[in-house]
Amino acid sequence: MSGRIADLSVFFITLNEEDRLGPALASVRDLVDDIVVVDSGSTDGTVRLAEQAGARVVHNDFPGYGRQKRLAESLCRHDWVLNLDADERVTPELAAEIRALFAGGRPPQGAYHTPILQLYPHQDRPTAGAFEYDPVRLYDRARSQYSESPVHDRVVLGAGVAAGRLKGGILHQSIRNLSHLIAKSNAYTDKQLEEMLAKGRKVSGLRLAVEFPFSFLKAYVGRRYFLMGTYGIGVAATYAYFRLMRLAKLHEARLLKEKVQAKG
């Protein structure tokens, strides 16, 4: 089955993704006739690349992940939307499954969970049996929308919306290398700190003590990073370190606040 789906839009949010956006755009170019890119100030060739691929590009200073995606979904021409990150691409199996969903009109469910298959820099295909997650990525924006959280970008289902599940996956190459993973995680924990402070979160000394080993085991065993061999050790250790750092930053913020209060 081929041809573009007339009632579906795809949207991205971007910032300096010239080296990764091309495959993402190519994976949906023949799937839909409406692609929206909301860019927050790229200084590389991201905007040019998106425009050359036929996407409608809009600039918006970054207000947080959820809010940026809320804006992007609102700019789509169609109510049914598929969200992709710039480092993701639709597999042929998923494209065929989505076409089949729309072959008889609008899909029967109001939203669909989609498997995300992690692809690391040294890999041509995902590790067999590796951890995957399946957030809602295909949905009717008239009934469900992204949350406005600055940190957590997830679709909040509307009242009465039942989400189906797709079998085809989205390939996700989230890091360029381990150095990129470290920089990305550090920036993300800063955002998490802002959210935790706003909510008045606190952390105990015991939690700080056990967070790293617990998170390492969660990643290496629970998320099956051991299937990647020695590379999985580094990924699991980085995951555990930044699970710890988000709490350490919160603890540090409390200590600094107490110091200021003591002087006042």
Side-chain angles (χ1 to χ4, degrees):
M1 189 180 299
S2 61
R4 292 176 175 174
I5 300 170
D7 297 321
L8 178 65
S9 296
V10 174
F11 69 88
F12 299 84
I13 63 172
T14 59
L15 176 65
N16 293 330
E17 294 286 359
E18 180 184 15
D19 61 324
R20 301 191 292 181
L21 184 59
L25 292 168
S27 74
V28 295
R29 183 175 52 211
D30 297 326
L31 185 65
V32 300
D33 62 2
D34 183 42
I35 301 174
V36 172
V37 173
V38 175
D39 186 79
S40 53
S42 292
T43 55
D44 61 1
T46 296
V47 171
R48 181 188 71 254
L49 182 64
E51 290 175 340
Q52 289 175 345
R56 291 185 290 121
V57 181
V58 175
H59 171 83
N60 190 66
D61 291 341
F62 190 67
Y65 292 99
R67 292 174 185 172
Q68 193 81 324
K69 290 194 174 184
R70 279 289 288 266
L71 172 63
E73 72 184 6
S74 74
L75 295 173
C76 292
R77 291 186 184 131
H78 308 298
D79 282 339
W80 271 94
V81 295
L82 172 67
N83 172 233
L84 290 177
D85 289 339
D87 54 8
E88 297 176 339
R89 60 185 186 269
V90 170
T91 60
E93 294 78 12
L94 178 58
E97 193 173 4
I98 292 175
R99 284 195 174 95
L101 269 180
F102 283 84
R106 296 201 165 193
Q109 305 290 347
Y112 290 86
H113 293 274
T114 308
I116 308 295
L117 312 174
Q118 185 68 50
L119 192 65
Y120 287 93
H122 65 289
Q123 296 178 319
D124 293 322
R125 60 181 62 86
T127 302
F131 172 79
E132 60 184 59
Y133 61 105
D134 60 344
V136 169
R137 288 296 190 86
L138 177 69
Y139 60 100
D140 179 356
R141 67 168 183 191
R143 303 169 63 190
S144 305
Q145 299 84 36
Y146 264 92
S147 74
E148 291 198 356
S149 168
V151 178
H152 305 291
D153 55 339
R154 66 182 184 88
V155 175
V156 179
L157 299 179
V161 175
R165 293 186 181 276
L166 300 175
K167 295 180 180 179
I170 292 172
L171 293 179
H172 183 206
Q173 191 164 356
S174 65
I175 63 169
R176 297 174 173 94
N177 48 48
L178 287 176
S179 293
H180 178 223
L181 174 59
I182 292 169
K184 183 177 179 179
S185 299
N186 189 46
Y188 189 71
T189 54
D190 284 345
K191 291 290 185 182
Q192 288 181 309
L193 173 62
E194 293 174 9
E195 188 173 58
M196 289 188 293
L197 288 173
K199 292 181 178 180
R201 285 277 304 275
K202 297 180 180 180
V203 59
S204 68
L206 176 62
R207 178 69 183 274
L208 283 168
V210 303
E211 186 69 14
F212 185 91
F214 176 81
S215 295
F216 180 84
L217 287 174
K218 177 183 176 181
Y220 193 65
V221 179
R223 291 194 168 197
R224 303 190 292 278
Y225 288 160
F226 68 88
L227 292 174
M228 291 190 292
T230 53
Y231 191 84
I233 296 173
V235 176
T238 303
Y239 171 85
Y241 175 68
F242 282 101
R243 290 286 295 180
L244 169 63
M245 285 307 299
R246 85 192 203 285
L247 300 181
K249 289 179 180 182
L250 179 62
H251 180 62
E252 179 185 55
R254 182 179 67 80
L255 293 176
L256 291 173
K257 182 179 180 180
E258 290 176 353
K259 178 181 179 180
V260 171
Q261 291 174 339
K263 287 185 176 181

